[in-house]
Amino acid sequence: MGNAGNIAGWITFFIGLYAVAAGIGEFRRPGFWAKMVKEIRESSALQFLTGMVTLVVGATIYLVNPWNPGDLLSILITVLGGWIFIEGALILAVGDWFLNFASKLMGTANRIWAGFSIVVGLGAIFAALVRLQIG
């Protein structure tokens, strides 16, 4: 269970699980991410829902994570929450432009991005487990 001392660890843990699962999903079904972005880009309803969910998740992470300037993980999670919030706002405000940019950023290197996602996810899980053992 989370408390003020280990919230950053738990958020990091769940973000790590998300990144690993997303990477595995792309490896299992190559092109899944690109297809998902294309479908969101083509649907105003999906753009709105994606923007709202992303905005709320980012705001929640930003507001729930206790700010501790002496704790690098706390700073990283706060910045990540702020970025996720901004991403949601961009999807709502300029979704067509932002999702076109995301498509170009992913390009055809989905396997590289999927591998990167798994590596970052495993690193986040490791950092979280270290934090939760200490906290």
Side-chain angles (χ1 to χ4, degrees):
M1 193 62 138
N3 61 43
N6 64 15
I7 288 175
W10 282 111
I11 292 171
T12 304
F13 180 74
F14 286 113
I15 288 172
L17 288 178
Y18 160 79
V20 169
I24 291 170
E26 176 62 28
F27 273 122
R28 200 174 131 290
R29 293 178 51 203
F32 175 74
W33 290 357
K35 183 179 178 189
M36 179 179 55
V37 171
K38 180 179 182 253
E39 289 175 358
I40 294 170
R41 196 175 62 229
E42 293 173 351
S43 170
S44 297
L46 284 177
Q47 274 187 39
F48 180 79
L49 289 173
T50 302
M52 281 302 300
V53 169
T54 305
L55 190 133
V56 168
V57 167
T60 302
I61 291 171
Y62 184 84
L63 293 172
V64 169
N65 187 55
W67 175 254
N68 180 355
D71 179 7
L72 181 60
L73 187 60
S74 174
I75 293 168
L76 290 173
I77 293 301
T78 300
V79 169
L80 182 64
W83 168 249
I84 294 169
F85 174 85
I86 290 167
E87 185 178 8
L90 287 171
I91 292 170
L92 286 171
V94 289
D96 53 340
W97 174 83
F98 186 76
L99 292 166
N100 281 331
F101 172 74
S103 291
K104 290 176 184 171
L105 184 65
M106 282 193 313
T108 57
N110 287 347
R111 286 188 156 303
I112 293 170
W113 283 114
F116 180 72
S117 179
I118 291 171
V119 169
V120 168
L122 290 173
I125 291 169
F126 177 76
L129 292 175
V130 168
R131 167 59 62 91
L132 295 171
Q133 290 294 98
I134 294 170

